[in-house]
Amino acid sequence: LTSLFPDSLQTVQVAVPGPFQGPLSYLSKTVIPIGCRVEVPLGNRTVVGIVVDHENPDDIDPKKLKPVSRQLDERPLLSIDILSIAQWMSRYYLHEFSSAYLLALPALLRKGEVPAASVETRVKLTLEGKAIDPAQLKRSPKQQALLDILQRADQLSMEQIRQLGFTSAHLKSLETKRLCEREEVEQLGEIKPTGDKLETSLTLNSEQQAALDRLTQDIFTPFLLEGVTGSGKTEVYLQAIEACLRKGKRALVLVPEIGLTPQTIQRFQRRFKDPLVALHSGMTDKQRQQAWYQASLGQASVVIGTRSAVLTPIPDLGLIVIDEEHDVSFKQQDTLRYQARDVALKRAQQANIPIVLGSATPSLETLHNALIGRFGHLLLPNRAAGAQMPLVETVDMRKQQNRNGLSERLLLRTHDHLRDGNQALLFLNRRGFAPSWFCDQCGWIADCVYCDANLTHHRHSNTNICHHCGHREKPAHSCPSCGHSPLQAMGTGTERAEELLADLFPDIPVIRFDRDAASTRKKFEAQLEKTQADGPAIIVGTQMLAKGHHFERVTLVGIWDIDTGLFSADLRAKERMGQLLTQVSGRSGRGERRGEVLIQTYYPENPIFTPLLNHDYRTFAVKLLDERKKAGLPPFGFVAVIRSDSAFADRAENLLRSMASYLLSLKTVRVLGPIPALLSRRAGKNRYMLIVQAEKRSALHEAVVPLHSHYPRQEKQVSWHIDIDPAELS
DNA sequence: AGCACGCCGACT
DNA sequence: GTCGGCGTGCTC
C-alpha cells in the first residue's frame, strides 16, 4: 500500500556486520528488494549490509531510524533460498545474526564492490583448425591435446582452458599457426546446462551402476556413498552430474580444503563441455568474486568448491555432492562454527534435490543415518580396477630396534620396495624436527611462555616454535635450570624423519609434505610434481597425505606412530585415528602391484586395530557407535560446548560456573564442567569449557539460546562462545 | 566487529 | 604538561 504514496518512507530490515541478534531497521524512500546490498550509517561510519526484510518490528520506534545511504544493487544478489539458509545457520549455530549472510557473499561484494559483468574470452577453431588432424602436431603434445579438445568442444573459454591444464603459451602457438582464434563475448544471461561430454565416461561396474541408478532422482534424498578407496566414487559423481545437467539443472560439488587441486578441477572439467567454476582459498578475491558471480547468474553448470562454497547461489540446482564427507575441514572452527555438510543437507532439503555424501570412512553421524535408513546407503565394496586391498600388519615397537622411531622392520620393507623401483609413503603426524627441546641431565623441557605446551624444535630455521600460538624463540644452548650443555631435540617430527631417510637412502629423493614444506598451494603443487618423476622415492609427511591424493606408484605405506590417537581424551580421536589409518592405507597399491601397510605401535594387541587390519572400517565404526550410544554422545544425543577465555583464569572459570548453575536449574540438559580446556593456557589466555548434552536437539537449543542475552559476549575481560555440534571436546 | 571516549602512566 | 596504552560502551 505504501508504494502508492511515493513520498512516504519505507522501512527495510538490514543485516549489517556486528554483534547483533537480528537485522537493524532503516528508512528508505523506495522499495528495496530483499537480497540487495545497501550502504547504511552505523554509529559514525557507513557499512555494507543486505536487505533481508521490509516489515519493521513493533518494538522499534520509527522516529529513531536513520535512512539508507545508498542502494548498491538493482536486483537481488542473494536469492530468498540462500537468505533463508543463512538465517537458519545463524539460529542453529547461535552466532551473530549477520555473519551467515555475509558469509554468503565473496569478500569484495561484502565490501560493496560492484560485481563485474563477466567478459569472457572464447577460443574457437579456424577452418584450418577444424580440418587438421591433431596427429600432425605430435612434436608438441600439449598443443596437440589442446587442439584435440577444441575439436571436440567446438569452443572453450580461457578459464576452461586454464582449468584443463593449458597455459596461454600453448594457445598462442596454436594461434600463430592460424588454427584457432579468440573472441571477446560479454556474458549476461544464463548458460543452459547440456551435459554434453568432452571425454567419454568410464564403464561402471554393477555396484557403481546400481548406485548411479538411485542417485538420479528429482526429490530430496540424502545418500551415503560408502566406497573403499579406489572404488570409483568420482566416476559415480561424474555420471550423476551428467544426468543432472542433461535435465537442464546444475550441480554443486564440495570437497575438502586440500582436495581441491588443479587435478581435481581438471578431472571434472575434462568430462563436460559445460562451463565449470571453482571456488577455493587459492584464488584472489577478484577471481573468487568473478567465479561466484558467474555461478549466481547461472553461467556455470558445475560449481566445485570448499566449505564456504556451500552458500553459493546456483539457479536450478539439481544435485549436491559432498566428497570425503568425514573430512574435518567441512566444520568451520572459528566465528560462525558451522558444519558445511549439514548446511548442504538443509539446502538439498529446501531445494528438494538429491544429495550424496561420499567417503571410504564415513563419519559416525552419517553412517548412523544410513544404517537406520534415514539416508539411502550405496555401497562400493570393491576396488574399481580389480586392484587388491593392501596387506596390513602392525609392527610391535617393544620388540624392535629403532632409530628415531623408525623400526628395523619398516626400514627393511622400505628398502625392499625402493629397490623394486617403487615409492614408499611414510606418515608421521608431527611437523617440525622434534616435538621437544630438552635437557638430558635434569629433564627440563622448553615450553611456551604463552601456552601450556612444549615448543617444537625446527632445525632448518634453528627455532623453537609453539604450534599453538606461533611464538618463536632461539633454542637455548645450555639448560636454564641446571646449566648443562648441550641440550637435545627429543622425539621425531617430519623434518627429522626427512633428514634420517636422506641419510639412510642417500640416492633416493625424499619428498616432504607438511605445513612447512608445502605451506602454500604453489609449494604443495611443486611437491606433488616431484612425486610424478620416474624411479623410487620416499614421501614423508603429516595428515596432508591422507586426503585423497593418488600416489599411483606408492606400494608401501608406513605409519610411524599411531599411538597418540589411541589415548587422546577427545570425543572423536578414535574415529579420526581409524579414518586416518584407513585413508592413508588406501594410498598404497592402487596400481598393479599389491600394496603393503605397516603400522608402528607399542600396543599391537589393542582390539581397536583388529577390524582395521582387515580393511573393515565398518566393524570398527559400529563398535565406536556402540560406545557413543552408551555415553549418549552424537549421533545418539546432542552436544554443545561453551568455551571461555580470559587473561585471568578465575574469571573464565566463574563465568562458566554461573552458566552451569543456570543450565542445571533447567533440568533439561546434562552439564559437565567447567573444566580446563585440553590446552588450558593458549596465547596468554586461560581457557575453560562447559559441555552441555541433551537427548533432543530442541532441548539443547532451548537451554543455550537465552545465554546470549544473559551474558554479554565480552564482559569484564572474559570472552566466550558456543559451539553447536563441536568437532572436538577441547 | 569497529570505533570513540575516557582515564592512567612515561616521555619531550 | 601531552601521547597513547587499552578497558568500556554503543551502534537501527
Side-chain angles (χ1 to χ4, degrees):
Chain A
L1 191 73
T2 44
S3 60
L4 295 174
F5 305 95
D7 287 342
S8 72
L9 287 174
Q10 319 283 318
T11 58
V12 283
Q13 299 292 101
V14 182
V16 292
F20 307 104
Q21 298 303 307
L24 302 185
S25 302
Y26 288 89
L27 297 172
S28 166
K29 284 183 191 153
T30 56
V31 178
I32 304 175
I34 289 173
C36 287
R37 294 171 305 155
V38 286
E39 265 180 18
V40 291
L42 181 66
N44 51 4
R45 65 210 166 104
T46 315
V47 296
V48 176
I50 301 164
V51 175
V52 293
D53 206 348
H54 290 132
E55 286 299 304
N56 194 34
D58 301 334
D59 58 329
I60 300 277
D61 177 5
K63 288 191 210 74
K64 283 187 163 176
L65 304 187
K66 290 182 183 174
V68 168
S69 323
R70 197 153 72 96
Q71 178 176 347
L72 291 172
D73 306 304
E74 283 293 313
R75 301 177 164 281
L77 215 51
L78 293 174
S79 64
I80 299 288
D81 294 358
I82 298 294
L83 292 173
S84 80
I85 297 276
Q87 186 177 37
W88 173 81
M89 281 172 79
S90 60
R91 287 209 184 123
Y92 185 83
Y93 293 107
L94 299 171
H95 194 69
E96 271 94 46
F97 175 81
S98 311
S99 310
Y101 293 94
L102 298 169
L103 191 83
L105 291 176
L108 290 179
L109 297 183
R110 223 177 304 169
K111 286 181 202 148
E113 191 160 294
V114 181
S118 66
V119 180
E120 233 182 32
T121 308
R122 307 213 126 253
V123 178
K124 287 183 168 170
L125 290 172
T126 58
L127 284 175
E128 297 102 281
K130 281 179 187 157
I132 193 172
D133 181 355
Q136 288 187 31
L137 291 176
K138 65 170 175 288
R139 290 189 54 202
S140 27
K142 273 290 192 183
Q143 290 174 43
Q144 184 186 355
L146 178 54
L147 181 64
D148 180 54
I149 287 177
L150 275 165
Q151 287 185 342
R152 280 181 280 148
D154 311 324
Q155 58 167 12
L156 290 171
S157 69
M158 274 308 290
E159 189 55 28
Q160 281 174 306
I161 288 175
R162 211 169 302 134
Q163 281 165 358
L164 286 164
F166 299 102
T167 63
S168 53
H170 299 135
L171 182 63
K172 244 324 180 332
S173 313
L174 287 184
E175 277 181 305
T176 37
K177 291 176 185 151
R178 299 197 171 275
L179 297 175
C180 67
E181 56 200 8
R182 310 182 196 207
E183 132 187 280
E184 302 266 302
V185 188
E186 191 166 343
Q187 201 53 257
L188 293 170
E190 314 196 333
I191 301 174
K192 277 265 166 260
T194 64
D196 290 346
K197 281 180 293 195
L198 271 178
E199 197 179 72
T200 48
S201 315
L202 303 179
T203 309
L204 300 182
N205 62 30
S206 59
E207 291 128 5
Q208 288 174 308
Q209 187 61 51
L212 178 66
D213 290 344
R214 291 185 60 198
L215 279 175
T216 45
Q217 319 197 10
D218 291 318
I219 52 166
F220 171 59
T221 7
F223 290 101
L224 164 60
L225 177 60
E226 186 180 5
V228 297
T229 44
S231 61
K233 290 187 287 293
T234 310
E235 188 58 32
V236 175
Y237 303 150
L238 281 165
Q239 297 198 26
I241 291 168
E242 183 188 334
C244 165
L245 303 184
R246 291 211 179 283
K247 292 181 208 155
K249 296 189 159 195
R250 302 187 174 83
L252 171 64
V253 181
L254 297 185
V255 299
E257 210 76 71
I258 203 155
L260 193 44
T261 58
Q263 286 89 323
T264 315
I265 298 173
Q266 269 178 46
R267 175 109 195 249
F268 284 81
Q269 184 62 76
R270 261 209 310 268
R271 179 61 61 87
F272 302 112
K273 288 186 185 177
D274 295 78
L276 169 154
V277 300
L279 284 162
H280 59 80
S281 56
M283 297 162 74
T284 65
D285 283 355
K286 190 84 193 164
Q287 292 172 322
R288 264 169 173 273
Q289 192 248 83
Q290 275 171 356
W292 184 92
Y293 194 52
Q294 281 170 11
S296 76
L297 293 176
Q299 294 174 358
S301 297
V302 181
V303 177
I304 178 165
T306 51
R307 180 178 67 230
S308 62
V310 69
L311 288 180
T312 314
I314 301 169
D316 293 313
L317 184 60
L319 175 70
I320 302 179
V321 174
I322 314 270
D323 191 26
E324 306 293 349
E325 68 85 29
H326 64 279
D327 194 276
V328 284
S329 76
F330 287 120
K331 169 85 180 178
Q332 177 144 307
Q333 304 278 20
D334 57 5
T335 59
L336 201 164
R337 302 174 133 81
Y338 67 101
Q339 166 55 265
R341 178 228 299 146
D342 297 341
V343 177
L345 278 161
K346 194 81 193 162
R347 190 166 176 189
Q349 184 181 36
Q350 187 201 53
N352 199 24
I353 56 170
I355 174 168
V356 52
L357 314 182
S359 178
T361 53
S363 63
L364 296 186
E365 281 82 353
T366 301
L367 182 63
H368 175 69
N369 279 326
L371 293 176
I372 63 169
R374 196 178 288 155
F375 290 2
H377 200 169
L378 313 172
L379 295 167
L380 303 179
N382 300 306
R383 289 191 151 185
Q388 283 182 303
M389 294 301 277
L391 207 62
V392 187
E393 66 174 82
T394 53
V395 176
D396 188 343
M397 293 301 279
R398 294 167 303 188
K399 299 178 180 160
Q400 289 280 324
Q401 299 276 357
N402 79 74
R403 203 168 143 190
N404 291 134
L406 177 66
S407 66
E408 212 168 351
R409 169 102 183 116
L410 181 51
L411 176 62
L412 288 172
R413 294 310 299 142
T414 304
H415 179 81
D416 281 359
H417 281 257
L418 295 172
R419 188 197 50 211
D420 297 346
N422 294 309
Q423 292 181 342
L425 183 155
L426 300 179
F427 171 78
L428 173 55
N429 208 10
R430 213 184 284 128
R431 68 191 175 92
F433 186 82
S436 50
W437 182 248
F438 100 125
C439 167
D440 62 3
Q441 283 291 298
C442 73
W444 174 87
I445 289 183
D447 52 11
C448 178
V449 203
Y450 306 105
C451 302
D452 177 28
N454 292 341
L455 296 178
T456 300
H457 181 61
H458 287 244
R459 176 154 292 180
H460 281 305
S461 53
N462 188 31
T463 323
N464 285 346
I465 303 176
C466 174
H467 284 186
H468 303 283
C469 74
H471 168 71
R472 308 163 73 93
E473 58 187 49
K474 283 284 156 228
H477 289 292
S478 56
C479 178
S481 174
C482 72
H484 174 74
S485 176
L487 298 178
Q488 307 212 354
M490 180 169 63
T492 306
T494 44
E495 225 181 77
R496 176 175 254 174
E498 180 188 31
E499 193 184 281
L500 172 68
L501 292 163
D503 186 35
L504 292 166
F505 302 99
D507 303 326
I508 309 271
V510 179
I511 307 155
R512 179 156 64 98
F513 284 85
D514 57 29
R515 243 169 64 195
D516 305 304
S519 51
T520 61
R521 245 190 154 71
K522 242 198 157 103
K523 282 191 185 172
F524 184 82
E525 302 298 338
Q527 294 299 81
L528 266 188
E529 191 74 33
K530 287 188 202 163
T531 68
Q532 314 286 324
D534 288 338
I538 302 172
I539 298 167
V540 60
T542 60
Q543 57 188 341
M544 247 182 205
L545 292 175
K547 300 196 176 173
H549 289 290
H550 300 243
F551 295 103
E552 279 301 328
R553 293 175 36 247
V554 166
T555 52
L556 172 72
V557 167
I559 295 168
W560 203 289
D561 175 19
I562 197 77
D563 292 340
T564 37
L566 288 177
F567 299 106
S568 166
D570 186 69
L571 164 69
R572 287 174 218 270
K574 283 187 199 159
E575 176 185 353
R576 291 237 188 86
M577 190 275 292
Q579 288 167 342
L580 207 56
L581 206 141
T582 308
Q583 295 283 349
V584 179
S585 305
R587 303 301 119 208
S588 92
R590 281 187 173 198
E592 282 158 27
R593 182 178 162 156
R594 187 172 189 188
E596 190 177 341
V597 179
L598 295 186
I599 305 166
Q600 299 193 139
T601 175
Y602 283 88
Y603 308 89
E605 62 289 321
N606 193 319
I608 200 165
F609 287 124
T610 321
L612 295 175
L613 298 180
N614 299 313
H615 313 287
D616 190 359
Y617 175 80
R618 175 72 73 80
T619 302
F620 162 81
V622 167
K623 258 193 206 169
L624 290 190
L625 275 170
D626 202 45
E627 287 178 19
R628 295 270 186 96
K629 188 170 192 169
K630 284 177 188 141
L633 287 168
F636 301 97
F638 298 92
V639 176
V641 176
I642 304 173
R643 302 190 186 87
S644 67
D645 64 73
S646 169
F648 312 98
D650 55 331
R651 301 224 172 152
E653 194 180 0
N654 289 339
L655 174 72
L656 293 189
R657 185 161 291 141
S658 159
M659 286 184 186
S661 68
Y662 163 76
L663 291 168
L664 281 168
S665 74
L666 301 173
K667 302 200 188 305
T668 55
V669 290
R670 286 166 60 192
V671 182
L672 179 65
I675 46 180
L678 213 59
L679 189 66
S680 66
R681 209 164 66 88
R682 176 183 174 144
K685 302 268 190 174
N686 295 89
R687 306 156 74 238
Y688 282 81
M689 65 177 182
L690 201 60
I691 299 170
V692 191
Q693 271 178 281
E695 264 171 60
K696 288 218 157 93
R697 178 155 266 160
S698 54
L700 182 67
H701 262 82
E702 280 160 29
V704 295
V705 159
L707 293 175
H708 271 108
S709 45
H710 290 343
Y711 301 91
R713 272 210 312 124
Q714 304 238 266
E715 177 193 49
K716 296 187 188 111
Q717 295 129 353
V718 207
S719 62
W720 66 279
H721 69 255
I722 298 184
D723 189 348
I724 303 285
D725 305 335
E728 43 195 37
L729 300 183
S730 61

